[in-house]
Amino acid sequence: ENPSSLPRILSGLRYLGVGSKVTRTIYKFPDTYWIITRVKLTEDMKHGKVYGKLIWRGRPKEKEEKIGPRLKKQWLLLDLPDYTKFQGHAEHINELIPKTTERTC
């Protein structure tokens, strides 16, 4: 799969990709990705704002964040939610986020 800009990937998905997992090609850790929570694209579907929850090295960040470099052609679609259960609503996003596990050093 070829990397593309985030709006281009999400514009072709159901619910504009809400609930989908995406990653950047520059991320070096396999368990680092974003779960898309909100999308607001322009009419041409090539620009806009994308928000998500970052899972960094397997650990979810606390809050939803605006995804910064969304126009760079470095994005890959990792996974889609199970659309038979997922309705594209914010309350279903928490079901997709992995539970935090305590690591002992």
Side-chain angles (χ1 to χ4, degrees):
E1 188 174 329
N2 292 331
S4 187
S5 70
L6 194 51
R8 183 175 176 98
I9 291 171
L10 299 178
S11 66
L13 299 176
R14 186 182 295 182
Y15 304 115
L16 290 176
V18 171
S20 301
K21 294 179 184 178
V22 295
T23 191
R24 290 178 71 190
T25 56
I26 64 166
Y27 290 163
K28 302 296 183 206
F29 304 104
D31 52 353
T32 298
Y33 56 90
W34 289 87
I35 297 176
I36 304 300
T37 56
R38 288 189 291 151
V39 179
K40 177 71 174 154
L41 297 181
T42 58
E43 283 186 34
D44 66 1
M45 305 293 270
K46 295 180 183 175
H47 302 89
K49 297 176 183 175
V50 181
Y51 297 85
K53 288 235 180 177
L54 177 62
I55 312 302
W56 183 258
R57 299 177 77 175
R59 293 181 173 199
K61 297 286 183 177
E62 296 250 342
K63 294 192 278 184
E64 174 187 71
E65 301 175 39
K66 184 176 178 183
I67 299 175
R70 62 199 166 277
L71 297 180
K72 292 192 179 271
K73 294 182 178 171
Q74 301 174 333
W75 292 95
L76 295 171
L77 179 65
L78 290 179
D79 196 17
L80 295 170
D82 180 1
Y83 286 121
T84 59
K85 298 176 185 172
F86 181 73
Q87 300 295 317
H89 302 295
E91 59 266 16
H92 297 283
I93 295 297
N94 290 330
E95 298 169 11
L96 304 172
I97 298 169
K99 303 297 181 230
T100 304
T101 57
E102 292 294 322
R103 293 186 189 178
T104 56
C105 297

